[in-house]
Amino acid sequence: MRYYGCLLLLGFCSQAWSGSAPRIRYRIETVAGSSLIGDQGPATAAQITNIQGLALDRLGNLYLSDTDNHRVRRVSPSGVITTIAGTGTPGFSGDGGPATAARLDLPYGLAVDYNLNLYIADAGSLRVRRVAPDGVITTIAGDGRKVSSADGIPASQASLMCPRNIAVDAAGALYISEFEGHRVRKVTADGRITTVAGAGQAGYRGDGGAATVALLSYPAGLAIDRSGMLYIADSGNNRIRKVFPGGAIVTALGGASSTALASPVAVAIDFAGAIYVGDSAFTVRAYTVDGKWLDCVGNGVAGFTGDGGPAAKAGLTAARDLLAGPNGGLYIADGVRVRFVDLSGVIHTIAGDGYVRSVGDGLPATIASLFQPSAAALDSTGNLFIADTGTQRVRQVPPNGTIATLAGNGIAAAGGEGAAASASSLNFPVGVVVDLSGNVLIADTYNHRVRQVTADHRIRTIAGTGASGLGPDGLPPLSTPLRGPRAICTDRAANLYIVDTSNHRVLRVPPGGNVQTVAGNGSPGNSGDGGPARLAQLNQPFGCALDSSGNLYIADTFNHHVRRVSPSGAISTVAGSRQGMGGDEGPATAASLNLPIGVAVDDLGDIYISDSGNHRIRQVTPDGVIHTIAGLGTPGFDGDGGPADTALLNSPGGLALDGSGALYIADAGNNRVRRLVPEIAAPPDPIIFPAALSAVNALSLQAGPVAPGEIVSIFGAGLGPDTGVPGSLDASGVLASAVAGVEARFDGVAAPLFYVQGGQINAQVPYTVAGSPSARLEVWFKGKAAGSLDLPVVPAAPALLGLVTNPDGYPNSELDPASSGAVLTLYATGEGLTDGDNVAGKPAAAPLAHPVLPVAVRIAGVPVEVIFAGSAPGTIGVMQINVRVPGGYVAPGKADLVLSVGGAAAPSVSVWLK
């Protein structure tokens, strides 16, 4: 098992646009939203998202992690806010330069030492970074790999499993909560990393013993008191654990003998020794030094209320981090705000306006603030309407480009029936559409209603009772309960369609009629293709659209499909086969999608899909072929003014088409609405592959035919970036098939990629080549053909790793030979099809798959017992074989070991026997 890391490095992932261009290429531009979020102004007027960490330096500066904006910001003692790290675009870059020019990826916990060094748990990049007082950023822990690593090595070479929160002690040592590694690590002054708590697996045990062998479960917040005690928010165990300076661990709070805690993620210690805990109960409680619990902040009801009054009566959105002030008082990371409880117990907001006031109304839309816009719609006169979900508004941009609020007052609530729409409350408005009469319809998701804004800008409910539920067909719209509706659309007969997301169905409301189900039977699942849509299963659909023939298209989000309901009521899948990314320039029904959220269709029959989890826009042309038309697959913001297929998107949501063929995208993660403008392109030049490729088995380095699932090394010139880039698992847990703009396709199917560089690519051959006599390999880099090769395909092409391990896990060698009857462990690739699901790029997990072809091993020509032959746990494309050394038949010393699979023999490797 100790060698899996080297096996995995043979092939990591990424996926770029294929070389076959769609009919039209698009240029991308922003039409609403910006990165202007209040810097250099009052912190109480700034726009902040999802604050996950707080820190305070000895000069009185407050630091906060603006997590979803991928920035760290500082509030001066005078209340002015600035960005001190992060550009706002997710990623990892900038070490050795100004922190303001560096990229962060979901910064979480923060800490400041006495010398004013700021430490950032850069969770998305799997690193901890330091911003020195001169503003230069460096990485001090984490190498970007999400695996466990040993203690005692330099922290910058160690791997971290999701660094979440951090703390610094009086000696300057740094503590890191490894959230998914179930450990707390320590980086000492000499830069080496050790474990101080947690054995590396989730669970609960060990109180009273050594912290390093205890079990933690998703440790989050950390705090250190004046005596050097380390406190851990052991969120999965519903406890606060305490580690003594001597290394013993106990439960400090929570558990059967204490007041119950609910997934605590935040902990702080004040100067007097009181312990403050924030958990999912929307309260902050304090445990005093005399053993009393105090409900000090929050009334237990989720929401933002109570500023200027007693903290215990206020409403909290969340308590994601806590910080005790040096002179008393408590800072709280409360969702999109930082709040402070003063010594008199009164609560105030000191940073973040919650997107209630400063959103840019009256200004050009391109310098206004949007927050997680979810959908866009257009009316016949060119007005653009935006479901600006995070600001609890629907915004309007007329043709002159000046933005205004149409509906919503910025406060998440219910109410305002019949009132002016801009003064009413919405609660997570996600969908928006304009009906044939020019009314704006809103999916008011968490109010479980569909609202209508009429021409006089008054608002009323037209569907839903306001209570979450599931009702029968045939009720009037206002008597029909909904559960989290996220999208709405209309057809040319003025029927309204409601995507009743959490009820896993789509409803139709005819003009003046009662509600009927058109798709989904109310239970989550994936079934029904070819039959009546009403009996089929959907799984949290998020979007809908209709074409001119009356076909209804549904973004069946958690099934990773787009489905079509014909006017006769039959349902079928038109795009998507499984979660992942792949299939461009092939049949859409065989392609992989990842959480498709939005869908649109034009009069020519083109289907547009917001492939949100892949950060792309895909297009299905009338011939059923799928293309990527926008986005490189990496989340970020880039490319305005240039080709859309080389731009970066970030979790795109709803889509809308105008009459000219332009496509509007709610680019939610970038807080913008962007537009794809079609450009008539010249006929594409013939595809010419400039470089001849060679391909070898990645273990034997020998050329020859390839087998399904085999790991191969591809050699050539200009195949990728100058500096090597390792692959990684995508959101579905599968090795990505596009890395740094590189894609390797076998007969049009993108291969999972382990590693890419200009002269070499390590990849796994897709299992789809099985049964073919040959496969054409094509390599693409940044959308351009980089090389091609025709390869014979055989059922098995085995090769062994030249490392054989003894029963103790150490390498077999002349100095450490195996005895008669000992069990040796071998690793191989190229075994061909297995009895598992044969999904390329998927790490092996129980139940482990076995090759369908027979496996045999000979040592010195003598057949040996094969105890196990199957997928090596946690690896991709690697087979593990355990064999027993024969007794009395083989002479001591060096011997050849030969593996064969289905009669195909691997090159021999040497073993040593005694």
Side-chain angles (χ1 to χ4, degrees):
M1 299 294 288
R2 68 181 71 242
Y3 302 106
Y4 286 167
C6 15
L7 294 173
L8 282 172
L9 283 176
L10 289 170
F12 273 138
C13 73
S14 174
Q15 189 162 15
W17 186 38
S18 80
S20 178
R23 298 169 303 159
I24 298 175
R25 203 175 192 194
Y26 293 84
R27 175 175 49 84
I28 193 168
E29 59 191 16
T30 293
V31 295
S34 72
S35 60
L36 302 177
I37 52 178
D39 276 348
Q40 316 305 325
T44 51
Q47 292 75 53
I48 308 169
T49 73
N50 190 22
I51 303 165
Q52 292 285 358
L54 298 173
L56 196 68
D57 69 19
R58 59 183 172 84
L59 303 180
N61 294 294
L62 175 70
Y63 300 84
L64 60 95
S65 58
D66 193 356
T67 302
D68 288 353
N69 276 331
H70 310 287
R71 305 173 188 234
V72 174
R73 305 174 76 180
R74 179 176 61 203
V75 180
S76 70
S78 63
V80 175
I81 193 168
T82 54
T83 293
I84 63 163
T87 63
T89 298
F92 170 72
S93 69
D95 271 2
T100 51
R103 288 191 178 187
L104 305 177
D105 193 350
L106 297 174
Y108 263 64
L110 304 174
V112 185
D113 67 17
Y114 183 81
N115 295 318
L116 304 181
N117 293 294
L118 172 68
Y119 299 88
I120 305 167
D122 197 10
S125 76
L126 304 173
R127 295 170 169 92
V128 176
R129 306 176 78 180
R130 178 177 61 204
V131 180
D134 62 1
V136 173
I137 191 169
T138 54
T139 294
I140 62 165
D143 62 1
R145 295 187 303 140
K146 194 175 183 180
V147 295
S148 295
S149 65
D151 284 345
I153 62 175
S156 59
Q157 298 174 17
S159 301
L160 300 174
M161 295 280 285
C162 191
R164 178 177 171 127
N165 293 81
I166 51 181
V168 176
D169 67 14
L174 178 70
Y175 296 80
I176 307 165
S177 62
E178 237 185 314
F179 188 67
E180 294 183 17
H182 312 291
R183 297 188 288 184
V184 176
R185 314 293 292 277
K186 178 180 179 180
V187 181
T188 50
D190 62 359
R192 295 196 170 267
I193 194 167
T194 58
T195 297
V196 296
Q201 64 186 78
Y204 171 71
R205 77 168 185 217
D207 276 356
T212 52
V213 296
L215 296 186
L216 306 175
S217 181
Y218 299 102
L222 302 175
I224 301 171
D225 69 13
R226 289 187 297 163
S227 63
M229 300 282 192
L230 172 67
Y231 293 81
I232 306 167
D234 193 3
S235 66
N237 285 322
N238 301 313
R239 297 167 188 261
I240 303 297
R241 311 282 288 275
K242 178 167 66 174
V243 180
F244 292 86
I249 191 170
V250 297
T251 291
L253 300 173
S257 61
S258 177
T259 298
L261 301 178
S263 300
V265 295
V267 60
I269 315 292
D270 70 12
F271 190 81
I275 308 172
Y276 296 85
V277 182
D279 62 16
S280 60
F282 306 105
T283 59
V284 176
R285 287 175 284 175
Y287 187 75
T288 63
V289 291
D290 56 358
K292 296 180 180 178
W293 277 104
L294 301 176
D295 292 330
C296 54
V297 189
N299 57 19
V301 178
F304 170 70
T305 60
D307 262 9
K313 295 183 179 180
L316 295 178
T317 303
R320 296 192 175 106
D321 200 15
L322 302 174
L323 179 65
N327 301 314
L330 183 70
Y331 297 85
I332 306 167
D334 186 18
V336 297
R337 301 173 177 86
V338 177
R339 303 175 79 180
F340 180 70
V341 181
D342 62 26
L343 294 177
S344 64
V346 175
I347 192 168
H348 315 269
T349 293
I350 61 171
D353 84 334
Y355 294 85
V356 173
R357 295 173 297 277
S358 302
V359 292
D361 280 350
L363 300 175
T366 51
I367 62 171
S369 295
L370 303 179
F371 183 26
Q372 297 174 354
S374 295
L378 294 136
D379 68 12
S380 58
T381 61
N383 289 291
L384 171 67
F385 300 93
I386 303 166
D388 196 11
T389 307
T391 74
Q392 310 296 340
R393 293 172 168 88
V394 171
R395 317 284 291 278
Q396 178 177 356
V397 182
N400 68 8
T402 300
I403 198 168
T405 292
L406 175 72
N409 58 15
I411 299 172
E417 202 69 15
S422 59
S424 66
S425 294
L426 304 173
N427 194 349
F428 209 70
V430 174
V432 63
V433 74
V434 181
D435 69 16
L436 293 178
S437 301
N439 301 304
V440 178
L441 308 182
I442 304 165
D444 193 2
T445 301
Y446 290 165
N447 280 327
H448 312 290
R449 291 182 165 102
V450 175
R451 316 284 293 278
Q452 179 192 70
V453 180
T454 54
D456 60 357
H457 288 192
R458 315 296 288 186
I459 195 168
R460 68 186 183 101
T461 297
I462 61 169
T465 64
S468 175
L470 175 66
D473 280 1
L475 296 176
L478 292 174
S479 300
T480 300
L482 306 174
R483 182 174 286 133
R486 284 182 171 263
I488 43 183
C489 52
T490 59
D491 64 16
R492 299 186 181 187
N495 293 295
L496 169 66
Y497 295 81
I498 304 170
V499 179
D500 193 11
T501 300
S502 295
N503 281 326
H504 313 285
R505 61 181 184 169
V506 179
L507 309 175
R508 180 173 56 216
V509 184
N514 292 337
V515 175
Q516 298 291 331
T517 298
V518 293
N521 63 14
S523 65
N526 182 12
S527 67
D529 271 3
R534 292 183 53 175
L535 302 181
Q537 288 180 299
L538 307 175
N539 194 350
Q540 297 192 51
F542 272 43
C544 66
L546 288 115
D547 66 18
S548 57
S549 300
N551 293 293
L552 171 67
Y553 296 82
I554 304 168
D556 193 1
T557 303
F558 280 79
N559 280 329
H560 313 288
H561 292 352
V562 172
R563 304 177 79 177
R564 178 172 57 206
V565 180
S566 69
S568 66
I571 193 169
S572 59
T573 294
V574 295
S577 60
R578 63 182 178 91
Q579 186 178 18
M581 174 61 212
D584 274 355
E585 312 312 320
T589 52
S592 300
L593 302 177
N594 190 359
L595 298 175
I597 285 180
V599 61
V601 59
D602 64 22
D603 286 339
L604 298 175
D606 296 296
I607 305 166
Y608 301 87
I609 303 166
S610 183
D611 195 3
S612 186
N614 284 322
H615 313 287
R616 299 173 185 236
I617 304 300
R618 318 278 292 272
Q619 178 193 51
V620 181
T621 44
D623 58 2
V625 174
I626 193 167
H627 320 267
T628 291
I629 61 171
L632 276 176
T634 303
F637 175 73
D638 194 16
D640 267 7
D645 52 73
T646 60
L648 296 181
L649 305 173
N650 192 348
S651 303
L655 303 175
L657 285 159
D658 69 10
S660 69
L663 180 71
Y664 290 75
I665 306 164
D667 194 3
N670 284 322
N671 298 323
R672 291 168 167 84
V673 173
R674 301 171 82 181
R675 178 170 56 198
L676 304 186
V677 179
E679 295 182 336
I680 304 300
D685 294 329
I687 298 173
I688 300 174
F689 289 91
L693 303 177
S694 62
V696 299
N697 183 288
L699 296 186
S700 69
L701 298 181
Q702 292 188 9
V706 297
E710 178 184 352
I711 300 175
V712 295
S713 292
I714 304 163
F715 298 100
L719 305 183
D722 293 336
T723 301
V725 179
S728 59
L729 302 183
D730 63 20
S732 64
V734 174
L735 192 61
S737 52
V739 175
V742 176
E743 183 175 350
R745 306 177 68 86
F746 288 78
D747 285 344
V749 177
L753 303 178
F754 296 96
Y755 176 86
V756 300
Q757 196 175 10
Q760 178 178 349
I761 298 170
N762 294 334
Q764 185 186 19
V765 178
Y767 286 97
T768 52
V769 303
S772 299
S774 64
R776 182 166 177 81
L777 166 63
E778 296 178 353
V779 174
W780 298 83
F781 179 43
K782 293 185 176 179
K784 295 182 178 179
S788 65
L789 177 67
D790 291 315
L791 289 165
V793 175
V794 293
L800 283 162
L801 183 68
L803 175 71
V804 178
T805 61
N806 288 327
D808 60 5
Y810 286 90
N812 175 274
S813 67
E814 184 177 7
L815 298 177
D816 192 6
S819 60
S820 174
V823 176
L824 299 177
T825 300
L826 323 172
Y827 299 99
T829 190
E831 72 272 24
L833 292 176
T834 72
D835 58 7
D837 54 13
N838 291 313
V839 175
K842 183 177 179 180
L848 298 172
H850 308 85
V852 297
L853 296 173
V855 174
V857 175
R858 290 175 175 265
I859 297 177
V862 177
V864 301
E865 178 188 0
V866 176
I867 300 170
F868 171 80
S871 298
T875 67
I876 297 166
V878 177
M879 177 174 65
Q880 176 177 327
I881 311 103
N882 297 336
V883 299
R884 191 179 306 278
V885 176
Y889 301 105
V890 180
K894 187 178 181 182
D896 286 341
L897 183 151
V898 177
L899 165 73
S900 62
V901 180
S908 65
V909 298
S910 296
V911 295
W912 293 86
L913 308 175
K914 62 181 178 181

